[in-house]
Amino acid sequence: SYKFWQTQPVPKFGEAEAGGKGSSKKPALPEGPIQNLALEEVPSEPAPLVEGFEWVTVDLTDDVQLQEVFDLLSGHFVEDGEAMFRFRYSKSILKWAMMSPGWKKEWHVGVRATQSRKLVAFISAIPLQLRIRDKVLNASEVNFLVIHKKLRSKRLAPILIKEITRLCNREGVWQALYTAGVVLPKPVSTSRYYHRSIDWQKLYEVGFSPLPPNSKPQFQVRKYALPDRTKTKGLREMVAGDLDAVQDLLSRYLQRYDMAMEFTREEVDHWLLDKRMPGDEQVVYTYVVEDDKTKKITDMFSFYCLDSSVINHPRHNVIRAAYLFYYATETGLTTPFDKPALKTRLDELMSDALILAKRHRFDVFNALSIMDNALFLEQQKYGPGDGQLHYYLFNYRAAHIAGGVDRNNQL
Ligand code: YNC
Ligand code: MG
């Protein structure tokens, strides 16, 4: 019934499609903002919390507070349906994800128990420029909404969501992007997680990968075996000197999609270049292909490291997962939509990505059914997972955006 969400400026199930592209017989609604507020209408103070709890701004530059967010998320954030695995965002990845260019400390919102000072809930936002078809929105991305398990189902989530909305609005930001595994009104796009085993034996032991009927463990191990060396000529790690070339290539490539980030040079630097401090774990791994004659950057791909805790296993505590991040290529393409050529090239690049992930001791490589991933998922031995990921826009009505798999079916 969506008692909370039906009060919010989001599209409703059953209403006409925006842009007139849907199959609905109802008259099309225009693509664009759902509600226009004036800054004066935005409350200057947060709504009060129930007795015993208080709002705080969490300072992620303070390692003690960062550790509190890490502890809250690693104990209470997203789990799979059977509660076997839980995302385990490292402190490094939390800083990377929440302290991107333009980040505001006010957008790291916590709730503490007044007496014990314990951090019991959290929500965050970062600023971004998001293109939907030909419009670029000055938006935020909301993530890391979490409530301690003992405080669930008390309607605290809507209060956190309203508070992050207020704080975005105060900065003149009226639209937001967010993703969730749950169905809410109303996804602008829906994708599925795909998994490519690297260490099949371990994934089997923790209960992540099943043994298919009529197979044997040694067949599975052999099926997912990878060579030690990459094949693409000119492939190397991205360095700071590649920034302009990568920004150029990536922004051209992202033009192919109906919804994509618009990256500044500073953002490419932040999201793609590994800037670990000594002792920190590496978060992002980015590779480029440099043509040895022209010295041009012709391709790039990246993945990031996000572990999952294995809940209640006697021997294994974590799954080391690599998540496919951005990629771009122009190699061999006669036009941007030359799908057979794109498939050939992506297969080469993504097979090397797996080899590199194995070299960095990842157990599994994950990808969503977005971008042009449908072109290589099957060939590279990815299998569909149980999880779906829905994409949502706050205060923006847009015609549905088909995922990569759907688009591939139209090849
Ligand atoms: C969710 N994931 O439907 P209705 S994703 C949004 N996103 O409202 P209560 C959610 N809404 O149906 P609980 C949601 N999950 O009555 C639930 N809801 O209208 C809605 N899990 O609240 C739900 N993290 O407090 C219902 O539920 C209402 O105690 C119920 O808390 C929910 O980060 C939650 O999955 C998710 O920690 C915090 O279960 C809790 O169960 C939990 O009674 C494990 O809430 C961790 C987890 C969510 C990961 C994520 C993106 C969040 C986006 C939030 C929406 C942002 C909108 C844009 C704002 C900025 C606008 C501008 C400008
Ligand atoms: Mg609650």
Side-chain angles (χ1 to χ4, degrees), residues 147 151-157:
I147 295 175
L151 294 174
R152 294 281 170 86
S153 306
K154 296 179 189 300
R155 311 302 299 181
L156 179 56

Side-chain angles (χ1 to χ4, degrees), residues 189-379:
S189 194
T190 289
S191 64
R192 177 166 291 281
Y193 276 106
Y194 280 72
H195 311 284
R196 203 289 187 191
S197 304
I198 296 175
D199 185 345
W200 185 84
Q201 185 65 39
K202 174 175 172 185
L203 296 175
Y204 175 60
E205 285 169 16
V206 300
F208 185 83
S209 296
L211 179 64
N214 306 320
S215 188
K216 289 185 178 154
Q218 65 263 38
F219 295 165
Q220 294 300 108
V221 169
R222 203 176 310 149
K223 171 177 173 186
Y224 293 113
L226 288 163
D228 291 329
R229 291 170 159 276
T230 58
K231 291 205 194 75
T232 308
K233 254 183 71 194
L235 183 70
R236 59 165 174 79
E237 273 177 53
M238 179 184 173
V239 295
D242 301 322
L243 262 176
D244 290 319
V246 168
Q247 188 191 3
D248 266 17
L249 176 68
L250 182 59
S251 37
R252 271 199 306 280
Y253 190 79
L254 291 178
Q255 291 301 317
R256 32 191 313 113
Y257 306 113
D258 283 344
M259 180 164 86
M261 309 291 180
E262 298 261 300
F263 286 129
T264 62
R265 188 178 195 275
E266 206 190 342
E267 285 171 321
V268 175
D269 183 28
H270 175 83
W271 291 117
L272 297 179
L273 268 183
D274 166 39
K275 285 192 225 53
R276 242 167 330 155
M277 302 298 263
D280 282 359
E281 318 151 62
Q282 184 164 359
V283 173
V284 66
Y285 298 74
T286 305
Y287 298 85
V288 296
V289 180
E290 181 183 311
D291 185 298
D292 61 348
K293 289 205 193 76
T294 64
K295 302 290 168 211
K296 279 211 170 108
I297 301 300
T298 57
D299 318 72
M300 60 79 54
F301 62 80
S302 60
F303 51 87
Y304 60 86
C305 168
L306 166 52
D307 293 345
S308 278
S309 305
V310 183
I311 304 168
N312 287 330
H313 194 277
R315 278 180 303 118
H316 296 293
N317 300 324
V318 291
I319 300 177
R320 263 177 69 78
Y323 284 74
L324 182 59
F325 198 34
Y326 286 95
Y327 57 81
T329 178
E330 288 171 344
T331 302
L333 271 65
T334 50
T335 74
F337 295 96
D338 182 353
K339 290 250 170 160
L342 184 59
K343 175 175 171 40
T344 303
R345 188 56 172 174
L346 288 181
D347 270 323
E348 291 166 357
L349 296 170
M350 293 305 134
S351 128
D352 280 351
L354 291 171
I355 293 166
L356 291 161
K358 184 188 174 192
R359 192 177 295 168
H360 289 288
R361 301 184 355 269
F362 285 96
D363 301 319
V364 62
F365 207 114
N366 296 331
L368 288 159
S369 60
I370 58 170
M371 297 178 75
D372 282 285
N373 299 356
L375 293 176
F376 64 80
L377 289 173
E378 204 182 314
Q379 175 98 26

Side-chain angles (χ1 to χ4, degrees), residues 110-125:
V111 172
R112 284 190 192 280
T114 306
Q115 291 256 300
S116 69
R117 307 311 299 155
K118 193 178 160 74
L119 185 69
V120 294
F122 185 77
I123 192 166
S124 73

